[in-house]
Amino acid sequence: MASGDVDAELGAKLRELRENPEEMIRMGEVAGVVESLMATLKGDLSSADLKIYTELESLAKYIEAAKKEIVALRPDEVRDEYLPTATDELDAIVEATAEATNTIMDAAEAVESVMKHLEGEDVDVLGEATTKIYEACGFQDITGQRITKVIKALKYIEEKVDALVDAFGAEIENIKKDQPQEEVQKDAKLSDEDLLSGPQQKEKAKNQEEIDALLASFD
Amino acid sequence: MAVDMNMNVLIVDDYKTMLRIIRNLLRQLNFVNIDDATDGSIALQKLRQGSFGLVISDWNMEPMTGIQLLREVRADEKLRPIPFIMVTAESKSENVIAAKEAGVSNYIVKPFNAETLKSKLVSVLGDF
């Protein structure tokens, strides 16, 4: 290299990175090292130096473009909004299926209690039917276990996205500033798409009485 | 020897729905004394305090799993003879082998039906 040895500050940074191979290196740090390396190339450049300089320059541009693309994906939104929503929805599925299964079993047990007062073929038919109901209710256990596995996978993804958000914290904040959230105007008309949000979480959902009251308020 | 339908049966599962299903199916098979626990450690406590003739346990539970419960039962001189049926969604060969090595009496894969439950009970307890 034309400048001889790597400068002291850059050398210290490289040593620090080498000594902590387990730690995640921020994209900004990588870009900083590349830029510092490029800055050390001064004076008369040989053709080999020039080649290295060109390679480093293209590497810096590549890193910068990758950074912009990753930040534009808004991993903070994935972590703060989409992943918690997905987990809540899955929890709601488990809760709703458990509730439905218990109601079905309540009904089957009620049938069984009436069977004591019956005689003949009817008892066998009802007995077989209730057995089939109990067997079928086993679906709740299996779906519950499968959903638990999916929730674990989502938690793993959350950890990875969390690390990504941590690495790109400053850049994400800059993008947020450049793209202020759209303010929803109170009297703005909702589109058909806005009205399609699927079933509400139990605690947020309006019950039938509240819906009736709301409808009645228009009268 | 006839099966004592009054024996205490302990069912262990962390899903309350599954406890209820097994309890109802056992009741239909004329078992009357059915107790339950939601994990291995609670089950072990009940087994040590009471007198049980059969354990039907899930595998995947916390903090103590079904296989850990099975090992504890088989390591306990007093509890060792109790028949132990594993009822689980874990259907890999490795699981079945591990359960067998730990001393399981029989193994039922979820989802199961009443006929399978009865046939496994017969194979463990004798005809009833």
Side-chain angles (χ1 to χ4, degrees), chain B residues 37-63:
Chain B
T38 49
D39 89 279
S41 51
I42 298 167
L44 196 59
Q45 213 176 335
K46 287 196 172 190
L47 285 166
R48 285 183 173 147
Q49 284 166 357
S51 168
F52 288 87
L54 174 67
V55 178
I56 299 175
S57 175
D58 182 28
W59 184 309
N60 197 346
M61 298 174 292
E62 284 177 352

mmCIF file with all atom_site columns, all heavy atoms in Angstrom, chain B residues 37-63:
data_model
loop_
_atom_site.group_PDB
_atom_site.id
_atom_site.type_symbol
_atom_site.label_atom_id
_atom_site.label_alt_id
_atom_site.label_comp_id
_atom_site.label_asym_id
_atom_site.label_entity_id
_atom_site.label_seq_id
_atom_site.pdbx_PDB_ins_code
_atom_site.Cartn_x
_atom_site.Cartn_y
_atom_site.Cartn_z
_atom_site.occupancy
_atom_site.B_iso_or_equiv
_atom_site.pdbx_formal_charge
_atom_site.auth_seq_id
_atom_site.auth_comp_id
_atom_site.auth_asym_id
_atom_site.auth_atom_id
_atom_site.pdbx_PDB_model_num
ATOM 1   N N   . ALA B 1 37 ? -53.549 -35.368 36.888 1.00 0.00 ? 37 ALA B N   1
ATOM 2   C CA  . ALA B 1 37 ? -52.457 -34.430 37.203 1.00 0.00 ? 37 ALA B CA  1
ATOM 3   C C   . ALA B 1 37 ? -52.034 -33.758 35.907 1.00 0.00 ? 37 ALA B C   1
ATOM 4   O O   . ALA B 1 37 ? -52.144 -34.361 34.839 1.00 0.00 ? 37 ALA B O   1
ATOM 5   C CB  . ALA B 1 37 ? -51.278 -35.191 37.809 1.00 0.00 ? 37 ALA B CB  1
ATOM 6   N N   . THR B 1 38 ? -51.557 -32.493 36.029 1.00 0.00 ? 38 THR B N   1
ATOM 7   C CA  . THR B 1 38 ? -51.230 -31.760 34.801 1.00 0.00 ? 38 THR B CA  1
ATOM 8   C C   . THR B 1 38 ? -49.731 -31.756 34.453 1.00 0.00 ? 38 THR B C   1
ATOM 9   O O   . THR B 1 38 ? -49.335 -31.142 33.473 1.00 0.00 ? 38 THR B O   1
ATOM 10  C CB  . THR B 1 38 ? -51.721 -30.293 34.903 1.00 0.00 ? 38 THR B CB  1
ATOM 11  O OG1 . THR B 1 38 ? -51.271 -29.763 36.151 1.00 0.00 ? 38 THR B OG1 1
ATOM 12  C CG2 . THR B 1 38 ? -53.224 -30.216 34.824 1.00 0.00 ? 38 THR B CG2 1
ATOM 13  N N   . ASP B 1 39 ? -48.923 -32.411 35.244 1.00 0.00 ? 39 ASP B N   1
ATOM 14  C CA  . ASP B 1 39 ? -47.534 -32.639 34.824 1.00 0.00 ? 39 ASP B CA  1
ATOM 15  C C   . ASP B 1 39 ? -46.917 -33.746 35.671 1.00 0.00 ? 39 ASP B C   1
ATOM 16  O O   . ASP B 1 39 ? -47.539 -34.232 36.630 1.00 0.00 ? 39 ASP B O   1
ATOM 17  C CB  . ASP B 1 39 ? -46.698 -31.341 34.890 1.00 0.00 ? 39 ASP B CB  1
ATOM 18  C CG  . ASP B 1 39 ? -46.047 -31.133 36.238 1.00 0.00 ? 39 ASP B CG  1
ATOM 19  O OD1 . ASP B 1 39 ? -46.721 -30.666 37.157 1.00 0.00 ? 39 ASP B OD1 1
ATOM 20  O OD2 . ASP B 1 39 ? -44.865 -31.459 36.374 1.00 0.00 ? 39 ASP B OD2 1
ATOM 21  N N   . GLY B 1 40 ? -45.716 -34.154 35.291 1.00 0.00 ? 40 GLY B N   1
ATOM 22  C CA  . GLY B 1 40 ? -45.089 -35.303 35.929 1.00 0.00 ? 40 GLY B CA  1
ATOM 23  C C   . GLY B 1 40 ? -44.837 -35.140 37.421 1.00 0.00 ? 40 GLY B C   1
ATOM 24  O O   . GLY B 1 40 ? -45.019 -36.082 38.191 1.00 0.00 ? 40 GLY B O   1
ATOM 25  N N   . SER B 1 41 ? -44.449 -33.921 37.828 1.00 0.00 ? 41 SER B N   1
ATOM 26  C CA  . SER B 1 41 ? -44.105 -33.757 39.249 1.00 0.00 ? 41 SER B CA  1
ATOM 27  C C   . SER B 1 41 ? -45.343 -33.861 40.137 1.00 0.00 ? 41 SER B C   1
ATOM 28  O O   . SER B 1 41 ? -45.286 -34.448 41.219 1.00 0.00 ? 41 SER B O   1
ATOM 29  C CB  . SER B 1 41 ? -43.353 -32.446 39.483 1.00 0.00 ? 41 SER B CB  1
ATOM 30  O OG  . SER B 1 41 ? -44.054 -31.389 38.923 1.00 0.00 ? 41 SER B OG  1
ATOM 31  N N   . ILE B 1 42 ? -46.466 -33.296 39.666 1.00 0.00 ? 42 ILE B N   1
ATOM 32  C CA  . ILE B 1 42 ? -47.718 -33.392 40.443 1.00 0.00 ? 42 ILE B CA  1
ATOM 33  C C   . ILE B 1 42 ? -48.149 -34.861 40.487 1.00 0.00 ? 42 ILE B C   1
ATOM 34  O O   . ILE B 1 42 ? -48.583 -35.371 41.528 1.00 0.00 ? 42 ILE B O   1
ATOM 35  C CB  . ILE B 1 42 ? -48.826 -32.515 39.812 1.00 0.00 ? 42 ILE B CB  1
ATOM 36  C CG1 . ILE B 1 42 ? -48.411 -31.053 39.821 1.00 0.00 ? 42 ILE B CG1 1
ATOM 37  C CG2 . ILE B 1 42 ? -50.155 -32.700 40.550 1.00 0.00 ? 42 ILE B CG2 1
ATOM 38  C CD1 . ILE B 1 42 ? -49.264 -30.145 38.961 1.00 0.00 ? 42 ILE B CD1 1
ATOM 39  N N   . ALA B 1 43 ? -47.982 -35.550 39.350 1.00 0.00 ? 43 ALA B N   1
ATOM 40  C CA  . ALA B 1 43 ? -48.365 -36.965 39.267 1.00 0.00 ? 43 ALA B CA  1
ATOM 41  C C   . ALA B 1 43 ? -47.547 -37.800 40.256 1.00 0.00 ? 43 ALA B C   1
ATOM 42  O O   . ALA B 1 43 ? -48.091 -38.641 40.975 1.00 0.00 ? 43 ALA B O   1
ATOM 43  C CB  . ALA B 1 43 ? -48.157 -37.471 37.846 1.00 0.00 ? 43 ALA B CB  1
ATOM 44  N N   . LEU B 1 44 ? -46.248 -37.515 40.295 1.00 0.00 ? 44 LEU B N   1
ATOM 45  C CA  . LEU B 1 44 ? -45.356 -38.290 41.168 1.00 0.00 ? 44 LEU B CA  1
ATOM 46  C C   . LEU B 1 44 ? -45.750 -38.111 42.638 1.00 0.00 ? 44 LEU B C   1
ATOM 47  O O   . LEU B 1 44 ? -45.774 -39.083 43.407 1.00 0.00 ? 44 LEU B O   1
ATOM 48  C CB  . LEU B 1 44 ? -43.914 -37.835 40.940 1.00 0.00 ? 44 LEU B CB  1
ATOM 49  C CG  . LEU B 1 44 ? -42.825 -38.752 41.466 1.00 0.00 ? 44 LEU B CG  1
ATOM 50  C CD1 . LEU B 1 44 ? -42.901 -40.139 40.862 1.00 0.00 ? 44 LEU B CD1 1
ATOM 51  C CD2 . LEU B 1 44 ? -41.442 -38.146 41.203 1.00 0.00 ? 44 LEU B CD2 1
ATOM 52  N N   . GLN B 1 45 ? -46.095 -36.872 42.964 1.00 0.00 ? 45 GLN B N   1
ATOM 53  C CA  . GLN B 1 45 ? -46.535 -36.566 44.329 1.00 0.00 ? 45 GLN B CA  1
ATOM 54  C C   . GLN B 1 45 ? -47.794 -37.392 44.665 1.00 0.00 ? 45 GLN B C   1
ATOM 55  O O   . GLN B 1 45 ? -47.874 -38.010 45.722 1.00 0.00 ? 45 GLN B O   1
ATOM 56  C CB  . GLN B 1 45 ? -46.867 -35.076 44.389 1.00 0.00 ? 45 GLN B CB  1
ATOM 57  C CG  . GLN B 1 45 ? -46.582 -34.441 45.712 1.00 0.00 ? 45 GLN B CG  1
ATOM 58  C CD  . GLN B 1 45 ? -46.872 -32.941 45.616 1.00 0.00 ? 45 GLN B CD  1
ATOM 59  O OE1 . GLN B 1 45 ? -46.831 -32.336 44.545 1.00 0.00 ? 45 GLN B OE1 1
ATOM 60  N NE2 . GLN B 1 45 ? -47.182 -32.352 46.741 1.00 0.00 ? 45 GLN B NE2 1
ATOM 61  N N   . LYS B 1 46 ? -48.753 -37.396 43.729 1.00 0.00 ? 46 LYS B N   1
ATOM 62  C CA  . LYS B 1 46 ? -50.007 -38.139 43.961 1.00 0.00 ? 46 LYS B CA  1
ATOM 63  C C   . LYS B 1 46 ? -49.735 -39.637 44.059 1.00 0.00 ? 46 LYS B C   1
ATOM 64  O O   . LYS B 1 46 ? -50.331 -40.331 44.875 1.00 0.00 ? 46 LYS B O   1
ATOM 65  C CB  . LYS B 1 46 ? -50.996 -37.863 42.823 1.00 0.00 ? 46 LYS B CB  1
ATOM 66  C CG  . LYS B 1 46 ? -51.601 -36.473 42.883 1.00 0.00 ? 46 LYS B CG  1
ATOM 67  C CD  . LYS B 1 46 ? -52.843 -36.347 42.003 1.00 0.00 ? 46 LYS B CD  1
ATOM 68  C CE  . LYS B 1 46 ? -53.516 -35.009 42.268 1.00 0.00 ? 46 LYS B CE  1
ATOM 69  N NZ  . LYS B 1 46 ? -54.827 -34.862 41.657 1.00 0.00 ? 46 LYS B NZ  1
ATOM 70  N N   . LEU B 1 47 ? -48.835 -40.130 43.197 1.00 0.00 ? 47 LEU B N   1
ATOM 71  C CA  . LEU B 1 47 ? -48.519 -41.569 43.206 1.00 0.00 ? 47 LEU B CA  1
ATOM 72  C C   . LEU B 1 47 ? -47.901 -41.975 44.544 1.00 0.00 ? 47 LEU B C   1
ATOM 73  O O   . LEU B 1 47 ? -48.178 -43.051 45.062 1.00 0.00 ? 47 LEU B O   1
ATOM 74  C CB  . LEU B 1 47 ? -47.552 -41.902 42.060 1.00 0.00 ? 47 LEU B CB  1
ATOM 75  C CG  . LEU B 1 47 ? -48.167 -41.931 40.652 1.00 0.00 ? 47 LEU B CG  1
ATOM 76  C CD1 . LEU B 1 47 ? -47.085 -41.937 39.588 1.00 0.00 ? 47 LEU B CD1 1
ATOM 77  C CD2 . LEU B 1 47 ? -49.069 -43.146 40.477 1.00 0.00 ? 47 LEU B CD2 1
ATOM 78  N N   . ARG B 1 48 ? -47.053 -41.101 45.091 1.00 0.00 ? 48 ARG B N   1
ATOM 79  C CA  . ARG B 1 48 ? -46.363 -41.427 46.355 1.00 0.00 ? 48 ARG B CA  1
ATOM 80  C C   . ARG B 1 48 ? -47.313 -41.345 47.544 1.00 0.00 ? 48 ARG B C   1
ATOM 81  O O   . ARG B 1 48 ? -47.103 -42.014 48.545 1.00 0.00 ? 48 ARG B O   1
ATOM 82  C CB  . ARG B 1 48 ? -45.156 -40.503 46.547 1.00 0.00 ? 48 ARG B CB  1
ATOM 83  C CG  . ARG B 1 48 ? -44.023 -40.939 45.625 1.00 0.00 ? 48 ARG B CG  1
ATOM 84  C CD  . ARG B 1 48 ? -42.761 -40.143 45.777 1.00 0.00 ? 48 ARG B CD  1
ATOM 85  N NE  . ARG B 1 48 ? -41.704 -40.753 44.969 1.00 0.00 ? 48 ARG B NE  1
ATOM 86  C CZ  . ARG B 1 48 ? -40.746 -40.085 44.365 1.00 0.00 ? 48 ARG B CZ  1
ATOM 87  N NH1 . ARG B 1 48 ? -40.698 -38.777 44.457 1.00 0.00 ? 48 ARG B NH1 1
ATOM 88  N NH2 . ARG B 1 48 ? -39.828 -40.728 43.661 1.00 0.00 ? 48 ARG B NH2 1
ATOM 89  N N   . GLN B 1 49 ? -48.343 -40.496 47.387 1.00 0.00 ? 49 GLN B N   1
ATOM 90  C CA  . GLN B 1 49 ? -49.300 -40.347 48.502 1.00 0.00 ? 49 GLN B CA  1
ATOM 91  C C   . GLN B 1 49 ? -50.415 -41.383 48.457 1.00 0.00 ? 49 GLN B C   1
ATOM 92  O O   . GLN B 1 49 ? -50.967 -41.747 49.476 1.00 0.00 ? 49 GLN B O   1
ATOM 93  C CB  . GLN B 1 49 ? -49.911 -38.940 48.470 1.00 0.00 ? 49 GLN B CB  1
ATOM 94  C CG  . GLN B 1 49 ? -48.949 -37.881 48.978 1.00 0.00 ? 49 GLN B CG  1
ATOM 95  C CD  . GLN B 1 49 ? -49.408 -36.474 48.638 1.00 0.00 ? 49 GLN B CD  1
ATOM 96  O OE1 . GLN B 1 49 ? -50.421 -36.283 47.970 1.00 0.00 ? 49 GLN B OE1 1
ATOM 97  N NE2 . GLN B 1 49 ? -48.650 -35.484 49.086 1.00 0.00 ? 49 GLN B NE2 1
ATOM 98  N N   . GLY B 1 50 ? -50.787 -41.839 47.266 1.00 0.00 ? 50 GLY B N   1
ATOM 99  C CA  . GLY B 1 50 ? -51.939 -42.725 47.131 1.00 0.00 ? 50 GLY B CA  1
ATOM 100 C C   . GLY B 1 50 ? -51.572 -44.135 46.740 1.00 0.00 ? 50 GLY B C   1
ATOM 101 O O   . GLY B 1 50 ? -50.409 -44.546 46.834 1.00 0.00 ? 50 GLY B O   1
ATOM 102 N N   . SER B 1 51 ? -52.596 -44.867 46.302 1.00 0.00 ? 51 SER B N   1
ATOM 103 C CA  . SER B 1 51 ? -52.367 -46.241 45.873 1.00 0.00 ? 51 SER B CA  1
ATOM 104 C C   . SER B 1 51 ? -53.039 -46.422 44.513 1.00 0.00 ? 51 SER B C   1
ATOM 105 O O   . SER B 1 51 ? -54.265 -46.492 44.417 1.00 0.00 ? 51 SER B O   1
ATOM 106 C CB  . SER B 1 51 ? -52.999 -47.180 46.907 1.00 0.00 ? 51 SER B CB  1
ATOM 107 O OG  . SER B 1 51 ? -53.043 -48.480 46.408 1.00 0.00 ? 51 SER B OG  1
ATOM 108 N N   . PHE B 1 52 ? -52.228 -46.434 43.473 1.00 0.00 ? 52 PHE B N   1
ATOM 109 C CA  . PHE B 1 52 ? -52.769 -46.457 42.110 1.00 0.00 ? 52 PHE B CA  1
ATOM 110 C C   . PHE B 1 52 ? -52.480 -47.791 41.417 1.00 0.00 ? 52 PHE B C   1
ATOM 111 O O   . PHE B 1 52 ? -51.429 -48.400 41.642 1.00 0.00 ? 52 PHE B O   1
ATOM 112 C CB  . PHE B 1 52 ? -52.175 -45.308 41.293 1.00 0.00 ? 52 PHE B CB  1
ATOM 113 C CG  . PHE B 1 52 ? -52.710 -43.958 41.707 1.00 0.00 ? 52 PHE B CG  1
ATOM 114 C CD1 . PHE B 1 52 ? -52.114 -43.247 42.736 1.00 0.00 ? 52 PHE B CD1 1
ATOM 115 C CD2 . PHE B 1 52 ? -53.831 -43.426 41.087 1.00 0.00 ? 52 PHE B CD2 1
ATOM 116 C CE1 . PHE B 1 52 ? -52.615 -42.013 43.141 1.00 0.00 ? 52 PHE B CE1 1
ATOM 117 C CE2 . PHE B 1 52 ? -54.343 -42.194 41.480 1.00 0.00 ? 52 PHE B CE2 1
ATOM 118 C CZ  . PHE B 1 52 ? -53.731 -41.489 42.508 1.00 0.00 ? 52 PHE B CZ  1
ATOM 119 N N   . GLY B 1 53 ? -53.433 -48.187 40.561 1.00 0.00 ? 53 GLY B N   1
ATOM 120 C CA  . GLY B 1 53 ? -53.268 -49.445 39.836 1.00 0.00 ? 53 GLY B CA  1
ATOM 121 C C   . GLY B 1 53 ? -52.863 -49.242 38.393 1.00 0.00 ? 53 GLY B C   1
ATOM 122 O O   . GLY B 1 53 ? -52.534 -50.209 37.684 1.00 0.00 ? 53 GLY B O   1
ATOM 123 N N   . LEU B 1 54 ? -52.868 -47.992 37.936 1.00 0.00 ? 54 LEU B N   1
ATOM 124 C CA  . LEU B 1 54 ? -52.544 -47.720 36.524 1.00 0.00 ? 54 LEU B CA  1
ATOM 125 C C   . LEU B 1 54 ? -52.215 -46.234 36.339 1.00 0.00 ? 54 LEU B C   1
ATOM 126 O O   . LEU B 1 54 ? -52.850 -45.372 36.950 1.00 0.00 ? 54 LEU B O   1
ATOM 127 C CB  . LEU B 1 54 ? -53.756 -48.080 35.644 1.00 0.00 ? 54 LEU B CB  1
ATOM 128 C CG  . LEU B 1 54 ? -53.681 -47.746 34.147 1.00 0.00 ? 54 LEU B CG  1
ATOM 129 C CD1 . LEU B 1 54 ? -52.621 -48.593 33.434 1.00 0.00 ? 54 LEU B CD1 1
ATOM 130 C CD2 . LEU B 1 54 ? -55.034 -47.968 33.475 1.00 0.00 ? 54 LEU B CD2 1
ATOM 131 N N   . VAL B 1 55 ? -51.208 -45.960 35.482 1.00 0.00 ? 55 VAL B N   1
ATOM 132 C CA  . VAL B 1 55 ? -50.894 -44.575 35.104 1.00 0.00 ? 55 VAL B CA  1
ATOM 133 C C   . VAL B 1 55 ? -51.024 -44.469 33.590 1.00 0.00 ? 55 VAL B C   1
ATOM 134 O O   . VAL B 1 55 ? -50.500 -45.310 32.850 1.00 0.00 ? 55 VAL B O   1
ATOM 135 C CB  . VAL B 1 55 ? -49.450 -44.170 35.516 1.00 0.00 ? 55 VAL B CB  1
ATOM 136 C CG1 . VAL B 1 55 ? -49.150 -42.743 35.058 1.00 0.00 ? 55 VAL B CG1 1
ATOM 137 C CG2 . VAL B 1 55 ? -49.241 -44.289 37.009 1.00 0.00 ? 55 VAL B CG2 1
ATOM 138 N N   . ILE B 1 56 ? -51.756 -43.444 33.147 1.00 0.00 ? 56 ILE B N   1
ATOM 139 C CA  . ILE B 1 56 ? -51.850 -43.152 31.706 1.00 0.00 ? 56 ILE B CA  1
ATOM 140 C C   . ILE B 1 56 ? -51.317 -41.734 31.547 1.00 0.00 ? 56 ILE B C   1
ATOM 141 O O   . ILE B 1 56 ? -51.915 -40.782 32.069 1.00 0.00 ? 56 ILE B O   1
ATOM 142 C CB  . ILE B 1 56 ? -53.311 -43.245 31.212 1.00 0.00 ? 56 ILE B CB  1
ATOM 143 C CG1 . ILE B 1 56 ? -53.846 -44.667 31.427 1.00 0.00 ? 56 ILE B CG1 1
ATOM 144 C CG2 . ILE B 1 56 ? -53.408 -42.851 29.741 1.00 0.00 ? 56 ILE B CG2 1
ATOM 145 C CD1 . ILE B 1 56 ? -55.318 -44.827 31.075 1.00 0.00 ? 56 ILE B CD1 1
ATOM 146 N N   . SER B 1 57 ? -50.166 -41.601 30.878 1.00 0.00 ? 57 SER B N   1
ATOM 147 C CA  . SER B 1 57 ? -49.512 -40.287 30.871 1.00 0.00 ? 57 SER B CA  1
ATOM 148 C C   . SER B 1 57 ? -49.128 -39.794 29.475 1.00 0.00 ? 57 SER B C   1
ATOM 149 O O   . SER B 1 57 ? -48.722 -40.562 28.613 1.00 0.00 ? 57 SER B O   1
ATOM 150 C CB  . SER B 1 57 ? -48.241 -40.354 31.733 1.00 0.00 ? 57 SER B CB  1
ATOM 151 O OG  . SER B 1 57 ? -47.525 -39.144 31.655 1.00 0.00 ? 57 SER B OG  1
ATOM 152 N N   . ASP B 1 58 ? -49.264 -38.479 29.307 1.00 0.00 ? 58 ASP B N   1
ATOM 153 C CA  . ASP B 1 58 ? -48.759 -37.784 28.127 1.00 0.00 ? 58 ASP B CA  1
ATOM 154 C C   . ASP B 1 58 ? -47.225 -37.714 28.250 1.00 0.00 ? 58 ASP B C   1
ATOM 155 O O   . ASP B 1 58 ? -46.666 -37.950 29.333 1.00 0.00 ? 58 ASP B O   1
ATOM 156 C CB  . ASP B 1 58 ? -49.359 -36.365 28.117 1.00 0.00 ? 58 ASP B CB  1
ATOM 157 C CG  . ASP B 1 58 ? -48.953 -35.550 26.906 1.00 0.00 ? 58 ASP B CG  1
ATOM 158 O OD1 . ASP B 1 58 ? -48.684 -36.141 25.849 1.00 0.00 ? 58 ASP B OD1 1
ATOM 159 O OD2 . ASP B 1 58 ? -48.919 -34.299 27.016 1.00 0.00 ? 58 ASP B OD2 1
ATOM 160 N N   . TRP B 1 59 ? -46.545 -37.391 27.177 1.00 0.00 ? 59 TRP B N   1
ATOM 161 C CA  . TRP B 1 59 ? -45.081 -37.273 27.197 1.00 0.00 ? 59 TRP B CA  1
ATOM 162 C C   . TRP B 1 59 ? -44.665 -35.815 27.379 1.00 0.00 ? 59 TRP B C   1
ATOM 163 O O   . TRP B 1 59 ? -43.904 -35.450 28.269 1.00 0.00 ? 59 TRP B O   1
ATOM 164 C CB  . TRP B 1 59 ? -44.517 -37.821 25.883 1.00 0.00 ? 59 TRP B CB  1
ATOM 165 C CG  . TRP B 1 59 ? -43.004 -37.854 25.797 1.00 0.00 ? 59 TRP B CG  1
ATOM 166 C CD1 . TRP B 1 59 ? -42.140 -36.839 26.053 1.00 0.00 ? 59 TRP B CD1 1
ATOM 167 C CD2 . TRP B 1 59 ? -42.212 -38.990 25.439 1.00 0.00 ? 59 TRP B CD2 1
ATOM 168 N NE1 . TRP B 1 59 ? -40.852 -37.256 25.863 1.00 0.00 ? 59 TRP B NE1 1
ATOM 169 C CE2 . TRP B 1 59 ? -40.855 -38.564 25.482 1.00 0.00 ? 59 TRP B CE2 1
ATOM 170 C CE3 . TRP B 1 59 ? -42.493 -40.301 25.074 1.00 0.00 ? 59 TRP B CE3 1
ATOM 171 C CZ2 . TRP B 1 59 ? -39.810 -39.421 25.167 1.00 0.00 ? 59 TRP B CZ2 1
ATOM 172 C CZ3 . TRP B 1 59 ? -41.442 -41.146 24.755 1.00 0.00 ? 59 TRP B CZ3 1
ATOM 173 C CH2 . TRP B 1 59 ? -40.122 -40.713 24.813 1.00 0.00 ? 59 TRP B CH2 1
ATOM 174 N N   . ASN B 1 60 ? -45.212 -34.961 26.488 1.00 0.00 ? 60 ASN B N   1
ATOM 175 C CA  . ASN B 1 60 ? -44.734 -33.586 26.372 1.00 0.00 ? 60 ASN B CA  1
ATOM 176 C C   . ASN B 1 60 ? -45.389 -32.659 27.413 1.00 0.00 ? 60 ASN B C   1
ATOM 177 O O   . ASN B 1 60 ? -46.433 -32.073 27.156 1.00 0.00 ? 60 ASN B O   1
ATOM 178 C CB  . ASN B 1 60 ? -45.039 -33.105 24.951 1.00 0.00 ? 60 ASN B CB  1
ATOM 179 C CG  . ASN B 1 60 ? -44.257 -31.876 24.589 1.00 0.00 ? 60 ASN B CG  1
ATOM 180 O OD1 . ASN B 1 60 ? -43.680 -31.218 25.462 1.00 0.00 ? 60 ASN B OD1 1
ATOM 181 N ND2 . ASN B 1 60 ? -44.225 -31.543 23.318 1.00 0.00 ? 60 ASN B ND2 1
ATOM 182 N N   . MET B 1 61 ? -44.775 -32.547 28.568 1.00 0.00 ? 61 MET B N   1
ATOM 183 C CA  . MET B 1 61 ? -45.307 -31.681 29.628 1.00 0.00 ? 61 MET B CA  1
ATOM 184 C C   . MET B 1 61 ? -44.143 -30.972 30.314 1.00 0.00 ? 61 MET B C   1
ATOM 185 O O   . MET B 1 61 ? -43.016 -31.424 30.233 1.00 0.00 ? 61 MET B O   1
ATOM 186 C CB  . MET B 1 61 ? -46.042 -32.526 30.688 1.00 0.00 ? 61 MET B CB  1
ATOM 187 C CG  . MET B 1 61 ? -47.235 -33.292 30.180 1.00 0.00 ? 61 MET B CG  1
ATOM 188 S SD  . MET B 1 61 ? -47.899 -34.369 31.450 1.00 0.00 ? 61 MET B SD  1
ATOM 189 C CE  . MET B 1 61 ? -46.617 -35.577 31.659 1.00 0.00 ? 61 MET B CE  1
ATOM 190 N N   . GLU B 1 62 ? -44.473 -29.899 31.005 1.00 0.00 ? 62 GLU B N   1
ATOM 191 C CA  . GLU B 1 62 ? -43.445 -29.171 31.775 1.00 0.00 ? 62 GLU B CA  1
ATOM 192 C C   . GLU B 1 62 ? -43.923 -28.985 33.203 1.00 0.00 ? 62 GLU B C   1
ATOM 193 O O   . GLU B 1 62 ? -45.121 -28.845 33.403 1.00 0.00 ? 62 GLU B O   1
ATOM 194 C CB  . GLU B 1 62 ? -43.194 -27.804 31.136 1.00 0.00 ? 62 GLU B CB  1
ATOM 195 C CG  . GLU B 1 62 ? -42.375 -27.910 29.878 1.00 0.00 ? 62 GLU B CG  1
ATOM 196 C CD  . GLU B 1 62 ? -42.193 -26.548 29.187 1.00 0.00 ? 62 GLU B CD  1
ATOM 197 O OE1 . GLU B 1 62 ? -42.832 -25.568 29.615 1.00 0.00 ? 62 GLU B OE1 1
ATOM 198 O OE2 . GLU B 1 62 ? -41.452 -26.506 28.223 1.00 0.00 ? 62 GLU B OE2 1
ATOM 199 N N   . PRO B 1 63 ? -43.095 -28.921 34.217 1.00 0.00 ? 63 PRO B N   1
ATOM 200 C CA  . PRO B 1 63 ? -41.627 -29.068 34.140 1.00 0.00 ? 63 PRO B CA  1
ATOM 201 C C   . PRO B 1 63 ? -41.182 -30.533 34.008 1.00 0.00 ? 63 PRO B C   1
ATOM 202 O O   . PRO B 1 63 ? -40.119 -30.790 33.456 1.00 0.00 ? 63 PRO B O   1
ATOM 203 C CB  . PRO B 1 63 ? -41.146 -28.485 35.460 1.00 0.00 ? 63 PRO B CB  1
ATOM 204 C CG  . PRO B 1 63 ? -42.284 -28.652 36.401 1.00 0.00 ? 63 PRO B CG  1
ATOM 205 C CD  . PRO B 1 63 ? -43.544 -28.567 35.566 1.00 0.00 ? 63 PRO B CD  1
#
